[in-house]
Amino acid sequence: MKERIQSFGRFLSGMVMPNIGAFIAWGLLTALFIDTGWLPNAQLSSIVGPMLTYVLPVLIAYQGGKMVGGNRGAVMGAIVAIGVICGTEYTMFMGAMVAGPLGGWVIKKFDKAVEGKIPSGFEMLVNNFSVGIFGLLLAIIGYYLIGPFMGAVLAILNAGVQVLVNNGLLPLVSVFVEPAKVLFLNNAINHGIFTPLGAEDVAVAGKSIFYMIETNPGAGTGVLLAYMLFAKDKTTKDSAPGALIIHLLGGIHEIYFPYVLMNPLLLLATIGGSVAAMIFNTTLGLGLAGPASPGSIIAYAGMAPKGSTLLVILSAVIAAGVSFVIAAPIVRLSNSKTSLSDSTNQMKEMKAQSKGVSVDQVSTVADSITADIKNIKHIVFACDAGMGSSAMGASVLKKKLTDAGRSDIEVKHASVSEIPSDAQIVVTHNELADRARRNAPQARLITITNFMAAPEYDALVNELKA
């Protein structure tokens, strides 16, 4: 079930994340040029509305169509999205998430049905008119059916959110968000749910509190500070400062997930910090003008509307302080001296025992699909989105290989759902192992728990060097 949720969430966020730059551009336009912005400008502020209504939903639909049906599916998705957008008065981010994949799926099925049956010389005619005709039909369906339906869904969601806000219950959302984050659902939650909801708020008020829920770096900061000061395992303690810098300044939240998974009681710390910050945010009516992506303190403060920058930063400080106060005694009083690497080995043993086999047998199976170590040329570091922790991990691994004299090996980063077919070795977090194994059955799989100080990095480098 967790894997299915991760895959579905990845699909939703996969339509938004490649377009985050456009969202940030729109957020900056809003923060700078609307009437209450830093540099009010009536002419430039006229860009904000059309960009929100048309450009961003069409980009989402285009990407969704491409994910399902390639370039032809992308064009179909954009055509269908226009019908959906014009069929309702609401901003159609969620409608675009339906229109894009639907358009891609229809043209993909058509192409499969006519494959090998088109008379020679008529290929271009059929290809162009099929997109035009099916795109038009689906745009009409989008106008009369999908748009109004998704508008009704959005109205219900907005009403539910308003109930939470009016009754001061919005901070309780963090009780569900923080555990979901450490299961690598952070991108799905932020970009699949909060970004569309936040856009509606910004269109009305110029800011949204939804952009402050998942992206606040404070909760993870408190946990990493606790490990940095009180961890009993030296390797874990020494890795915490580097992880803290990457998390707080780089905005890669996945870096702190293994530290929480190592001691699940620390979820109390992240939940407590996030709830405290949300109480502060809702009390003062804070919000961001656009999505803070990545969720670094720099991006978090950079998206603050005029006059609220210090309060937005204070929100992160409050989350970090409360999280640290809760996490410190948990880390300090923990009787376990187990390191992150020890936890990984223990997990492998338990998993093997549950299947009635030994760890040696499991290793033998893994070795049976191992590529010839002398001919390794392509290593892929995979994470959920393919943009944050995987890029960092690939950089760390590439540097170690270069130092070992193996700069000839190419190290890429990718989404765990889109691992290149030429990957010979795949490195990923153990929470994503099943998805990586399914998407790259030809590759040797190496799982880690600590992005910064994984002993598996050195073991792999030494093996390749030898």
Side-chain angles (χ1 to χ4, degrees):
M1 178 61 71
K2 181 183 70 175
E3 183 182 346
R4 288 175 181 173
I5 294 173
Q6 283 179 336
S7 297
F8 179 69
R10 165 62 192 147
F11 183 76
L12 291 181
S13 63
M15 288 185 264
V16 179
M17 287 201 70
N19 300 307
I20 281 297
F23 275 88
I24 291 174
W26 165 72
L28 292 173
L29 273 170
T30 303
L32 290 172
F33 301 124
I34 63 173
D35 292 341
T36 56
W38 291 90
L39 302 169
N41 186 305
Q43 292 176 318
L44 292 178
S45 67
S46 66
I47 304 174
V48 173
M51 192 169 183
L52 174 66
T53 303
Y54 299 104
V55 176
L56 297 179
V58 168
L59 284 173
I60 290 173
Y62 183 91
Q63 184 64 28
K66 186 175 183 179
M67 290 167 65
V68 176
N71 290 329
R72 284 164 56 75
V75 176
M76 282 283 294
I79 297 171
V80 181
I82 288 296
V84 174
I85 291 167
C86 295
T88 180
E89 61 183 10
Y90 289 95
T91 305
M92 274 291 99
F93 289 112
M94 291 186 176
M97 290 180 177
V98 174
L102 176 61
W105 180 80
V106 168
I107 202 65
K108 181 179 180 180
K109 289 296 182 181
F110 173 81
D111 288 344
K112 186 175 181 180
V114 302
E115 185 177 0
K117 301 175 183 179
I118 303 174
S120 180
F122 287 83
E123 292 86 357
M124 183 176 292
L125 182 68
V126 173
N127 287 340
N128 289 338
F129 270 82
S130 61
V131 170
I133 293 171
F134 282 112
L136 172 62
L137 293 174
L138 288 178
I140 294 172
I141 293 173
Y143 184 91
Y144 286 110
L145 184 62
I146 301 175
F149 175 77
M150 294 307 298
V153 170
L154 199 55
I156 294 171
L157 290 175
N158 285 338
V161 168
Q162 200 58 48
V163 170
L164 294 177
V165 173
N166 292 341
N167 292 279
L169 300 176
L170 192 58
L172 295 182
V173 172
S174 298
V175 175
F176 304 99
V177 170
E178 291 302 322
K181 282 177 68 174
V182 299
L183 294 177
F184 289 86
L185 294 171
N186 52 315
N187 291 314
I189 292 169
N190 189 31
H191 301 304
I193 300 174
F194 291 149
T195 294
L197 290 176
E200 290 288 337
D201 284 352
V202 174
V204 176
K207 62 182 178 181
S208 176
I209 196 170
F210 289 109
Y211 292 140
M212 303 184 76
I213 300 175
E214 189 275 336
T215 56
N216 191 329
T221 297
V223 169
L224 292 173
L225 281 171
Y227 269 106
M228 188 172 72
L229 296 176
F230 303 118
K232 296 177 181 178
D233 173 65
K234 188 176 187 304
T235 301
T236 305
K237 186 172 185 176
D238 290 346
S239 69
L244 177 60
I245 292 172
I246 291 169
H247 165 71
L248 185 61
L249 301 181
I252 301 176
H253 288 202
E254 291 92 340
I255 197 77
Y256 83 83
F257 297 170
Y259 294 85
V260 175
L261 291 171
M262 197 173 133
N263 191 338
L265 274 177
L266 289 171
L267 281 172
L268 296 175
T270 58
I271 291 172
S274 184
V275 168
M278 284 300 295
I279 292 174
F280 176 79
N281 296 337
T282 53
T283 301
L284 297 183
L286 298 179
L288 301 183
S293 182
S296 75
I297 191 64
I298 299 170
Y300 199 68
M303 282 297 170
K306 182 180 179 180
S308 63
T309 303
L310 291 179
L311 291 176
V312 166
I313 294 174
L314 183 57
S315 167
V317 172
I318 289 172
V322 173
S323 178
F324 174 76
V325 168
I326 298 173
I330 295 175
V331 174
R332 189 171 187 176
L333 298 177
S334 174
N335 292 323
S336 174
K337 295 185 179 181
T338 305
S339 67
L340 294 179
S341 57
D342 291 337
S343 296
T344 305
N345 294 331
Q346 183 182 11
M347 184 193 68
K348 289 179 180 177
E349 277 187 31
M350 293 170 63
K351 188 173 182 179
Q353 290 168 2
S354 70
K355 295 181 179 180
V357 298
S358 68
V359 176
D360 291 338
Q361 286 174 302
V362 174
S363 299
T364 301
V365 173
D367 289 341
S368 68
I369 60 171
T370 298
D372 184 353
I373 201 69
K374 294 181 180 179
N375 297 319
I376 295 296
K377 295 297 179 184
H378 302 285
I379 298 176
V380 174
F381 201 116
C383 71
D384 185 49
M387 298 174 69
S389 54
S390 61
M392 179 195 67
S395 177
V396 172
L397 187 56
K398 181 63 177 176
K399 185 176 186 305
K400 288 180 176 290
L401 286 170
T402 300
D403 292 342
R406 291 306 308 269
S407 59
D408 58 306
I409 298 178
E410 182 181 28
V411 183
K412 300 178 181 178
H413 58 91
S415 162
V416 71
S417 301
E418 300 173 356
I419 299 173
S421 58
D422 63 351
Q424 295 168 289
I425 295 177
V426 175
V427 184
T428 191
H429 191 275
N430 58 17
E431 284 287 327
L432 304 173
D434 290 338
R435 290 168 62 189
R437 190 174 290 110
R438 186 178 66 248
N439 292 316
Q442 82 288 351
R444 174 181 176 182
L445 182 64
I446 297 175
T447 59
I448 63 171
T449 57
N450 185 343
F451 294 111
M452 285 295 294
E456 290 83 0
Y457 290 157
D458 291 328
L460 175 61
V461 170
N462 290 335
E463 186 177 3
L464 292 170
K465 183 180 179 180

